[in-house]
């Protein structure tokens, strides 16, 4: 059985999804979970893009063990130097990923260079990168719109320079499974030294075909798949890791000769973490990790599943670490049931964190009839907040309604002292945010505000994420509560504390 290398680019291409920026600690937290998940390569970022990203990649490379750590670089010495400096702490597990566009449209309009020069630059870049790490990956960007004979020449020559992985990107999500499968076969048949490198694929989802294209490539000999958790990424996103892995696992009849190292029971947890930290909500109908992925609504289906699960379920929810959102816990549940439930979800907490999570669980169970797994994840994630709480919310009140100017009063604590303030606003949340601004003196810009319900029902937890910018820093703050104004205030306070700690 041959192994398909799972190259996870959630922290690089995934982070290029509009609105999904991650700080250093968040990147490390996701990288750690990716290791638990069993990914082989983590593309941690694009170090030349910003100082923050370079530092984040470096922190990932120095703290994460158990996967190859990769950094992206254009075919420029400065990029390759920055990539190398960032991944150096990963020592023998460091990879540099160099790319250069090979399609006519990119060469003519973006790079403004003829083919021969592109070829020379690619060759020199790989040669330069190879002096720094033995593990060098090359991507001819926009490969699927590149002229075949030129593409073959570039691939052959960069392999001669020592590229160990050749990644074929469908940069603009343009190809289809039949065409892409044929391209992989053609590369194998027309590049004489192709056996010296692993063929990788990197598919975007502009036509909704990223996963199908990646799987077609695997059937034609690709042995590394580039993907992201929840399929997040530039524009319509990248191929979704969980869909590719579960397709390979579920259809053993088709993918009999390949396997991955992914521990599928970690999938749901990884999905939740990435959604929470990027602020990118998973659509309910998203395959594998959407909240409806294992729910049966129609009577016929429910009847079928009760008689024999396999009638309407091709995947056991437990196999992806999803334990259903049926009846879980409520206000009568005790500490034992609570901790057992956490353990079955793969969540381990210290005794102290468990005590405080249990208190929060009880508070929530008083407000809400049923506490679902999604609610538990929210409580636990709150426990993990690591940013120092310079400003803490004591209480808030709002006055609003028809024909009333919304007003909010807020009390915050900082360094043992209590500060109060009030303000009017366009709505109750705006009024709260203005009152917080008055008290803290932090005049941040609200770039984005989102609210989602964590689970279903009228008493569902509302989860708010806000993106604030202040003094050249942008952060995401999150808060959850059954009261959406409280969730909004908590999210804003979380962001304010993060801005201060920056
Ligand atoms: O989509 C793309 O072409 C990329 C490359 C950098 C591999 O992300
Ligand atoms: Zn990409």
């Amino acid at each position: 059985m041959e192994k398909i290398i799972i190259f996870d680019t959630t922290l690089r291409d995934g982070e290029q999804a509009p609105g999904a920026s991650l700080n250093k600690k968040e990147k490390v937290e996701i990288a750690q979970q990716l290791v638990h998940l069993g990914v082989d390569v983590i593309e941690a970022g694009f170090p030349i893009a910003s100082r923050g990203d370079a530092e984040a990649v470096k922190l990932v490379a120095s703290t994460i063990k158990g996967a190859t750590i990769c950094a992206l670089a254009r075919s420029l010495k400065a990029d390759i130097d920055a990539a190398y400096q960032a991944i150096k702490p990963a020592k023998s597990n460091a990879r540099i990923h160099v790319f250069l566009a090979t399609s006519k449209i990119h060469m003519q309009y973006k790079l403004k260079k003829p083919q021969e020069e592109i070829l020379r630059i690619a060759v020199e870049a790989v040669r330069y990168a190879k002096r720094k790490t033995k593990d060098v990956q090359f991507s001819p960007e926009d490969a699927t719109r590149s002229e075949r004979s030129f593409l073959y020449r570039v691939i052959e020559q960069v392999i001669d320079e020592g590229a160990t992985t050749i990644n074929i990107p469908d940069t603009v999500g343009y190809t289809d499974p039949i065409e892409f499968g044929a391209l992989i076969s053609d590369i194998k048949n027309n590049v004489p030294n192709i056996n010296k490198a692993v063929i990788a694929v990197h598919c975007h989802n502009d036509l909704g075909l990223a996963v199908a294209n990646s799987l077609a490539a695997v059937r034609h000999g690709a042995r590394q798949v580039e993907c992201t958790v929840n399929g997040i990424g530039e524009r319509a996103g990248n191929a979704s890791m969980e869909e590719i892995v579960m397709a390979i696992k579920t259809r053993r009849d088709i993918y009999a000769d390949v396997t991955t190292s992914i521990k599928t029971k970690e999938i749901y947890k990884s999905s939740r973490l990435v959604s929470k930290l990027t602020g990118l909500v998973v659509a309910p109908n998203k395959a594998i990790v959407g909240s409806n992925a294992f729910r049966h609504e129609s009577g016929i289906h429910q009847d079928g599943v009760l008689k024999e699960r396999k009638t309407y379920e091709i995947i056991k929810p437990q196999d992806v670490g999803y334990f259903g959102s049926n009846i879980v816990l409520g206000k009568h549940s005790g500490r034992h049931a609570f901790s057992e439930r956490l353990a079955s979800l793969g969540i381990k907490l210290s005794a102290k964190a468990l005590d405080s999570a249990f208190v929060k669980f009880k508070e929530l169970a008083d407000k809400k009839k049923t506490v679902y797994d999604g609610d538990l994840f929210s409580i636990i994630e709150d426990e993990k907040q690591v940013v120092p709480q310079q400003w803490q919310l004591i209480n808030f009140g709002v006055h609003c309604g028809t024909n009333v100017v919304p007003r909010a009063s807020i009390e915050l604590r900082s360094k043992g002292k209590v500060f109060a303030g009030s303000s009017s606003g366009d709505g109750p949340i705006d009024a709260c945010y203005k009152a917080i601004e008055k008290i803290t003196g932090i005049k941040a810009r609200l770039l984005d505000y989102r609210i989602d319900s964590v689970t279903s029902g009228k008493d569902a937890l509302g989860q708010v994420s806000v993106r604030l910018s202040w003094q050249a820093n942008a952060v995401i703050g999150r808060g959850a509560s059954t009261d959406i104004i409280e969730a909004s205030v908590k999210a804003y306070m979380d962001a304010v504390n993060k801005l201060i700690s920056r």
Side-chain angles (χ1 to χ4, degrees):
M1 191 115 66
E2 281 187 72
K3 176 169 157 163
I4 302 298
I5 299 165
I6 298 294
F7 177 108
D8 184 282
T9 183
T10 306
L11 300 180
R12 198 278 296 170
D13 220 331
E15 205 207 9
Q16 284 173 220
S21 73
L22 295 163
N23 65 31
K24 277 189 269 184
K25 276 189 187 146
E26 291 167 334
K27 279 203 168 190
V28 170
E29 195 177 341
I30 292 178
Q32 190 59 66
Q33 177 56 27
L34 291 174
V35 171
H36 293 321
L37 181 64
V39 309
D40 302 284
V41 186
I42 296 173
E43 187 166 52
F46 188 13
I48 197 81
S50 72
R51 193 166 56 93
D53 210 30
E55 286 171 3
V57 177
K58 197 166 187 174
L59 193 61
V60 170
S62 48
T63 50
I64 299 296
K65 306 280 169 261
T68 296
I69 309 298
C70 175
L72 184 68
R74 288 170 300 180
S75 291
L76 298 170
K77 282 189 172 168
D79 280 42
I80 296 169
D81 288 340
Y84 177 59
Q85 283 311 318
I87 51 154
K88 206 161 62 170
K91 299 186 181 134
S92 60
N93 289 326
R95 174 181 295 189
I96 300 177
H97 177 188
V98 180
F99 75 100
L100 185 63
T102 49
S103 66
K104 260 195 183 140
I105 191 159
H106 277 235
M107 292 188 293
Q108 184 179 344
Y109 294 105
K110 184 181 84 174
L111 302 169
K112 301 190 193 324
K113 289 189 180 9
Q115 277 191 352
E116 291 316 306
E117 194 164 350
I118 294 291
L119 182 60
R120 183 187 59 76
I121 295 171
V123 163
E124 281 177 9
V126 170
R127 188 180 300 152
Y128 188 68
K130 195 71 188 180
R131 296 212 313 248
K132 303 190 179 280
T133 58
K134 61 178 188 339
D135 190 349
V136 174
Q137 167 166 328
F138 179 78
S139 292
E141 191 190 7
D142 205 14
T144 47
R145 294 192 299 170
S146 299
E147 189 189 289
R148 287 294 180 89
S149 57
F150 181 57
L151 183 64
Y152 302 151
R153 274 174 70 210
V154 172
I155 296 174
E156 182 180 353
Q157 295 204 21
V158 295
I159 293 177
D160 276 344
E161 292 301 332
T164 40
T165 301
I166 295 297
N167 179 38
I168 307 301
D170 182 27
T171 303
V172 289
Y174 182 68
T175 196
D176 94 323
I178 294 177
E179 182 187 66
F180 198 51
L183 173 61
I184 302 303
S185 291
D186 290 346
I187 289 172
K188 286 175 70 177
N189 294 329
N190 289 283
V191 177
N193 55 1
I194 194 69
N195 289 337
K196 292 191 183 152
V198 172
I199 302 180
V201 288
H202 175 109
C203 298
H204 279 273
N205 208 27
D206 300 65
L207 295 174
L209 293 171
V211 169
N213 290 337
S214 307
L215 291 170
V218 166
R219 290 173 82 165
H220 286 83
R223 288 297 174 261
Q224 174 176 297
V225 173
E226 306 206 353
C227 45
T228 59
V229 174
N230 299 336
I232 64 170
E234 188 81 42
R235 306 182 308 279
N238 288 59
S240 138
M241 179 279 303
E242 57 279 5
E243 293 175 23
I244 290 171
V245 168
M246 290 315 290
I248 292 174
K249 185 177 158 90
T250 307
R251 295 303 305 271
R252 296 307 309 150
D253 51 338
I254 300 175
Y255 300 100
D257 57 343
V258 294
T259 185
T260 73
S261 304
I262 296 297
K263 297 181 194 78
T264 61
K265 287 197 162 65
E266 293 289 322
I267 285 179
Y268 188 65
K269 204 164 142 196
S270 310
S271 162
R272 292 275 322 170
L273 180 69
V274 168
S275 170
K276 160 126 179 155
L277 295 184
T278 57
L280 298 177
V281 176
V282 176
N285 63 330
K286 163 84 177 65
I288 317 294
V289 290
S291 56
N292 290 346
F294 299 108
R295 277 193 192 150
H296 304 281
E297 182 74 26
S298 103
I300 296 173
H301 288 209
Q302 286 179 349
D303 179 55
V305 169
L306 286 172
K307 287 177 176 148
E308 167 53 56
R309 184 191 62 80
K310 286 186 190 153
T311 51
Y312 288 102
E313 260 182 27
I314 59 164
I315 296 168
K316 276 200 223 140
Q318 301 89 311
D319 284 355
V320 296
Y322 180 81
F323 291 85
S325 57
N326 308 334
I327 300 161
V328 191
L329 296 166
K331 66 176 176 185
H332 301 299
S333 309
R335 197 190 149 87
H336 187 194
F338 176 70
S339 61
E340 288 277 300
R341 187 78 205 135
L342 293 186
S344 75
L345 291 171
I347 300 168
K348 289 189 200 108
L349 293 182
S350 66
K352 199 169 154 229
L354 185 68
D355 283 345
S356 126
F358 184 62
V359 171
K360 285 195 181 148
F361 157 69
K362 279 293 192 182
E363 280 169 4
L364 183 62
D366 268 341
K367 294 183 195 157
K368 186 169 194 293
K369 221 163 101 192
T370 307
V371 178
Y372 296 103
D373 291 348
D375 298 322
L376 292 182
F377 278 109
S378 241
I379 292 175
I380 299 316
E381 279 152 6
D382 266 3
E383 276 315 299
K384 289 193 187 155
Q385 299 287 7
V386 280
V387 178
Q389 301 294 292
Q390 173 114 5
W391 288 98
Q392 284 168 296
L393 176 68
I394 304 175
N395 59 49
F396 77 95
V398 288
H399 179 64
C400 59
T402 318
N403 299 327
V404 177
V405 177
R407 256 203 106 66
S409 339
I410 303 256
E411 267 185 18
L412 303 180
R413 182 179 294 116
S414 178
K415 296 181 186 145
K417 282 195 196 149
V418 175
F419 299 81
S422 61
S423 174
S424 54
D426 289 337
I429 295 172
D430 183 48
C432 287
Y433 288 0
K434 286 194 170 123
I436 295 172
E437 192 177 290
K438 272 191 193 166
I439 303 174
T440 60
I442 294 184
K443 297 196 186 317
R445 244 182 79 208
L446 180 64
L447 303 175
D448 197 13
Y449 172 94
R450 289 168 203 223
I451 179 154
D452 299 285
S453 99
V454 176
T455 47
S456 54
K458 279 192 201 147
D459 57 357
L461 265 189
Q463 184 155 283
V464 172
S465 79
V466 295
R467 207 147 60 85
L468 295 193
S469 77
W470 182 60
Q471 295 186 345
N473 278 310
V475 296
I476 295 179
R478 299 171 194 89
S481 168
T482 46
D483 175 335
I484 57 165
I485 299 181
E486 185 176 345
S488 307
V489 172
K490 280 182 167 177
Y492 197 88
M493 293 303 304
D494 182 39
V496 165
N497 282 317
K498 280 184 180 161
L499 285 171
I500 295 171
S501 78
R502 286 261 175 113

